[in-house]
Amino acid sequence: MGTLENPVLRLVDRARRRSAWLYHFNAGACNGCDIELVACLTPRYDVEQLGIRLEGSPRHADILCVTGPVTRSTREALTIIHAQIPDPKVVVAIGSCPATCNVFAGSPMIAGPVDQVIPVDVYIAGCPPRPHSIIQGIAQAIEILVARKETGR
Ligand code: SF4
């Protein structure tokens, strides 16, 4: 039975289009970007009312949010977590560190920016980016996710 013929999978598919579940991975951040991401969940920004929530398991997530540059010790874990998120998925790089390594560039402990380890779909600039920018980036990620669901890529 194909995905569209199976009523349970059809329901899961519909739910995934309407509410994006995020998995957050700190690849080596100073915690500044992590605090701003968590701020998006507070009553002030309240992204849960839009169906966006942080999920504790990558196997149940749609969008991988990465903060910080990739360190030599987190590189393998990032690869594994990325593989555990079911397709279609979207990767969001939050802050300057996952894009360029920022202030950590040149450190012997740094493996490199995120796109040297896994593909990145959305970059959110800032050190750290404000919650408004993070919400905007996640909205962009949801659009990409829906398009991938529709095209099956
Ligand atoms: S971008 Fe700035 S705030 Fe975010 S992890 Fe890097 S140094 Fe910290």
Side-chain angles (χ1 to χ4, degrees):
M1 187 182 282
T3 303
L4 293 176
E5 294 157 22
N6 184 322
V8 175
L9 291 180
R10 215 165 50 224
L11 184 64
V12 170
D13 178 60
R14 197 172 294 173
R16 288 188 74 197
R17 281 169 199 257
R18 290 185 174 272
S19 61
W21 287 15
L22 317 180
Y23 184 84
H24 170 218
F25 184 77
N26 179 337
C30 74
N31 285 344
C33 290
D34 310 283
I35 290 167
E36 298 299 325
L37 176 59
V38 171
C40 297
L41 300 167
T42 61
R44 180 162 183 179
Y45 299 100
D46 197 13
V47 292
E48 286 198 354
Q49 70 175 319
L50 306 173
I52 299 166
R53 55 164 283 189
L54 272 184
E55 166 58 34
S57 166
R59 295 183 194 280
H60 300 154
D62 308 293
I63 297 173
L64 174 59
C65 294
V66 184
T67 55
V70 184
T71 67
R72 288 165 57 184
S73 60
T74 60
R75 183 186 183 122
E76 189 182 352
L78 177 60
T79 310
I80 293 169
I81 284 166
H82 180 258
Q84 286 176 336
I85 296 177
D87 288 323
K89 58 193 158 199
V90 179
V91 177
V92 180
I94 299 178
S96 304
C97 283
T100 66
C101 298
N102 197 8
V103 292
F104 302 106
S107 164
M109 303 313 295
I110 297 298
V114 172
D115 63 7
Q116 284 188 10
V117 182
I118 57 171
V120 175
D121 301 290
V122 178
Y123 290 93
I124 303 173
C127 178
R130 299 206 23 96
H132 303 96
S133 304
I134 295 175
I135 294 168
Q136 197 174 13
I138 290 170
Q140 202 181 332
I142 291 171
E143 281 178 21
I144 295 170
L145 185 68
V146 169
R148 284 184 182 161
K149 282 295 289 181
E150 285 172 357
T151 58
R153 286 188 293 131

